[in-house]
């Protein structure tokens, strides 16, 4: 069949040659023809005496399923020289079907693990590989070890391989130093692994530092996105509360008394023990309370400074004030004779915008009474509310 254009084949072409022993089909375009068969298993169905098949130079990329799935009476010597094969994935996996497989001048860089597994099943007596772009590298180490141990490559001394530096080496000579090369590959692997682990560790450390430094900003924006997905819309001009009171739960008695004094004066105050909904994440409740309040009042006591939630609420308020341009929304009530240097860092950073009112510790001193304290607090709480009210009246 050599030299014929066999792009279109009939499945019964060889049916009337049951004694066929040698099939020579060089340069016959069988790469197209064989794969165009609707049922390739019928092509050699009647040729069970085949012993030699020559398929040189046929642009074969793969074999059709079932082509050699027959009980041939003798192992076949088959030549796929000068084709385009890169793997044996399309080859049959029946034992003892092939005696010699010639794969010279194809496109093999190596035989993959699957190819090697298939060859171990087929058990050919020899394979020819010269003329392929065989790669000798750490990546093909398994293939080279198999070649060295199996002894199945018949043209080993005539086969060249490409080293990692791009130069050519005789595969037989290269295998003589395979053990040393394997050790160098293992060394490279561990060096690469150590470098990767070090790089990942450094990256994680840097990301960890960034997260720790800006953790409240990340959490604030995450909570804002979460609330937006839940269709929460903050009010733009009017607020649900005049102030959100941030305090330690140990100061709840004093805060309740504060609430009772301010409520009759018309102030709506948000307290977590009164207004936070059960079952809702407390961090989300805090952000929602800050967004819904014109002012945020921090009751700074010794117990507040020891509370982790107090620091959290300060950070969330600072993030909100920065994002919304509301730096003047913070009111600080200092109690227990607490000095400024003991205040949290986040509060110190916005101290120039904070309104600070000190709870009177000496009621006998002039202008240092509880009445004066509440007058100052009411004036401060009314500041934004009065301005909004005036704007609405003018409209």
């Amino acid at each position: 069949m050599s030299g014929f254009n066999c792009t279109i084949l009939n499945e019964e072409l060889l049916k009337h040659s049951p004694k066929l022993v040698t099939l020579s089909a060089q340069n016959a375009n069988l790469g197209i023809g064989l794969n165009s068969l609707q049922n390739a298993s019928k092509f050699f169905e009647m040729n069970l005496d085949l012993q030699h098949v020559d398929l040189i130079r046929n642009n074969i990329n793969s074999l059709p399923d079932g082509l050699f799935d027959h009980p041939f009476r003798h192992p076949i010597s088959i030549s796929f020289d000068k084709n385009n094969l890169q793997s044996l994935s399309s080859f049959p996996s029946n034992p003892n079907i092939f005696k010699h497989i010639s794969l010279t001048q194809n496109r093999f860089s190596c035989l993959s693990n699957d190819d090697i597994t298939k060859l171990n099943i087929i058990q050919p007596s020899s394979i020819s590989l010269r003329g392929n772009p065989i790669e000798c590298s750490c990546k093909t180490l398994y293939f080279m070890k198999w070649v060295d141990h199996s002894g199945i490559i018949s043209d080993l001394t005539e086969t060249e391989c490409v080293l990692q530096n791009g130069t050519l080496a005789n595969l037989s000579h290269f295998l003589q130093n395979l053990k040393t090369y394997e050790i160098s590959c293992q060394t490279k692997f561990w060096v690469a692994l150590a470098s990767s682990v070090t790089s990942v560790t450094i990256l994680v450390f840097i990301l960890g530092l960034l997260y720790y430094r800006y953790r409240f900003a990340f959490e604030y924006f995450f909570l804002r996105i979460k609330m937006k997905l839940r269709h929460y819309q903050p009010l733009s001009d009017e607020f649900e509360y005049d102030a959100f009171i941030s305090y330690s739960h140990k100061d709840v008695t004093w805060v309740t008394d504060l609430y009772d004094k301010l409520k009759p004066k018309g102030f709506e105050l948000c307290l977590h023990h009164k207004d936070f909904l059960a079952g809702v994440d407390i961090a989300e409740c805090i952000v929602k309370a800050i967004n819904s309040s014109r002012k945020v009042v921090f009751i700074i006591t010794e117990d507040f400074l020891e509370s982790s939630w107090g620091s959290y609420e300060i950070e969330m308020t600072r993030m909100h004030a920065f994002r919304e341009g509301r730096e003047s929304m913070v009111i600080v009530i200092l109690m227990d004779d607490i000095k400024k240097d003991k205040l949290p860092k986040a509060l110190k950073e916005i101290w120039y915008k904070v309104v600070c009112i000190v709870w009177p510790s000496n009621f006998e001193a002039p202008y240092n009474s509880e009445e004066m304290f509440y007058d100052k607090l009411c004036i401060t709480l009314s500041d934004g509310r009065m301005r909004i009210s005036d704007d609405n009246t003018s409209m």
Side-chain angles (χ1 to χ4, degrees):
M1 292 172 61
S2 297
F4 287 90
N5 184 10
C6 298
T7 55
I8 300 176
L9 289 179
N10 189 311
E11 295 167 353
E12 299 184 353
L13 177 66
L14 304 177
K15 181 178 180 180
H16 302 290
S17 303
K19 299 297 183 181
L20 182 66
V21 174
T22 300
L23 173 63
S24 180
Q26 296 187 22
N27 198 25
N29 283 320
L30 286 175
I32 299 174
L34 290 174
N35 284 287
S36 68
L37 296 173
Q38 291 186 352
N39 189 352
S41 63
K42 291 186 176 182
F43 192 70
F44 288 128
E45 187 177 31
M46 303 303 296
N47 311 111
L48 302 183
D49 285 323
L50 265 178
Q51 296 183 42
H52 306 282
V53 178
D54 183 351
L55 300 177
I56 296 175
R57 200 182 290 111
N58 274 282
N59 293 316
I60 296 174
N61 297 305
S62 61
L63 296 178
D65 294 337
L67 184 65
F68 290 98
D69 289 343
H70 302 292
F72 295 101
R73 298 186 178 95
H74 306 280
I76 300 171
S77 293
I78 189 166
S79 177
F80 289 102
D81 300 347
K82 299 180 181 179
N83 281 286
N84 297 317
L85 292 170
Q86 299 182 66
S87 74
L88 306 180
S89 60
S90 59
F91 274 48
S93 55
N94 301 334
N96 302 314
I97 188 173
F98 294 131
K99 179 171 63 175
H100 176 73
I101 304 175
S102 183
L103 300 170
T104 65
Q105 299 185 46
N106 275 271
R107 299 173 63 187
F108 289 93
S109 60
C110 70
L111 296 178
S112 68
N113 294 1
D114 290 339
D115 292 341
I116 291 172
T117 299
K118 183 166 289 189
L119 288 173
N120 289 337
I121 297 173
I122 297 174
Q123 297 180 348
S125 59
S126 60
I127 299 173
S128 299
L129 275 179
R130 67 183 180 278
N132 281 281
I134 301 297
E135 182 181 334
C136 289
S137 67
C138 296
K139 186 170 64 176
T140 61
L141 185 60
Y142 180 81
F143 160 69
M144 291 186 291
K145 290 172 67 176
W146 176 82
V147 170
D148 189 42
H149 294 151
S150 67
I152 201 174
I153 307 301
S154 60
D155 55 353
L156 197 60
T157 57
E158 304 169 53
T159 303
E160 292 182 326
C161 67
V162 182
L163 302 178
Q164 286 183 309
N165 60 9
T167 60
L168 291 176
N170 183 278
L171 184 57
S172 178
H173 295 161
F174 183 86
L175 294 179
Q176 293 175 6
N177 300 306
L178 184 59
K179 191 64 179 178
T180 303
Y181 189 75
E182 182 180 2
I183 294 172
S184 70
C185 285
Q186 291 173 350
T187 303
K188 291 176 183 177
F189 169 78
W190 288 112
V191 169
L193 180 62
S195 300
S196 300
V197 171
T198 302
S199 300
V200 171
T201 302
I202 293 173
L203 180 61
V204 170
F205 179 73
I206 293 173
L207 292 176
L209 284 179
L210 289 174
Y211 176 77
Y212 181 79
R213 175 65 179 83
Y214 300 105
R215 62 192 182 282
F216 293 108
F218 290 137
E219 184 163 355
Y220 174 78
F221 288 110
F222 171 76
L223 289 171
R224 288 293 297 248
I225 293 171
K226 182 179 178 181
M227 292 164 64
K228 187 174 182 180
L229 292 175
R230 293 186 179 182
H231 308 293
Y232 166 76
Q233 296 294 332
L235 299 174
S236 56
D237 293 327
E238 297 183 0
F239 297 91
E240 184 178 355
Y241 302 103
D242 291 297
F244 165 54
I245 310 297
S246 175
Y247 58 94
S248 167
H249 71 279
K250 294 182 180 180
D251 300 318
V252 66
T253 302
W254 188 91
V255 171
T256 302
D257 185 57
L258 176 76
Y259 177 84
D260 292 339
K261 284 185 169 60
L262 293 178
K263 180 67 175 176
K265 299 180 183 295
F267 293 107
E268 286 294 333
L269 304 179
C270 178
L271 308 179
H272 63 72
H273 71 272
K274 176 177 71 72
D275 297 295
F276 283 11
L277 298 176
V280 180
D281 181 54
I282 189 170
E284 187 174 339
C285 288
I286 290 171
V287 172
K288 184 176 180 181
I290 293 170
N291 292 346
S292 303
S293 304
R294 276 188 308 104
K295 303 285 185 179
V296 178
V297 180
F298 294 103
I299 313 299
I300 307 296
T301 64
E302 294 289 352
D303 291 326
F304 182 91
L305 295 178
E306 294 176 2
S307 169
S308 59
W309 280 113
S311 299
Y312 182 84
E313 289 169 354
I314 291 174
E315 291 285 359
M316 292 295 104
T317 301
R318 187 168 69 93
M319 289 297 107
H320 177 82
F322 174 78
R323 182 181 184 275
E324 303 294 332
R326 300 176 58 203
E327 288 86 352
S328 61
M329 68 183 294
V330 180
I331 301 172
V332 171
I333 296 177
L334 286 180
M335 303 181 68
D336 299 343
D337 290 327
I338 293 175
K339 306 303 180 185
K340 181 185 172 183
D341 57 356
K342 293 183 64 177
L343 296 177
K345 181 181 178 183
L347 200 54
K348 291 179 182 178
E349 291 177 355
I350 58 172
W351 190 253
Y352 66 100
K353 286 286 188 177
V354 168
V355 176
C356 178
I357 304 175
V358 180
W359 175 253
S361 57
N362 183 4
F363 292 99
E364 296 181 357
Y367 307 109
N368 193 25
S369 64
E370 185 175 332
E371 182 180 353
M372 290 291 294
F373 167 82
Y374 279 107
D375 286 343
K376 293 177 185 177
L377 181 58
C378 288
I379 292 171
T380 307
L381 289 175
S382 301
D383 177 40
R385 184 172 64 172
M386 293 173 63
R387 184 170 59 253
I388 292 173
S389 177
D390 293 343
D391 292 342
N392 290 338
T393 302
S394 63
M395 293 173 61

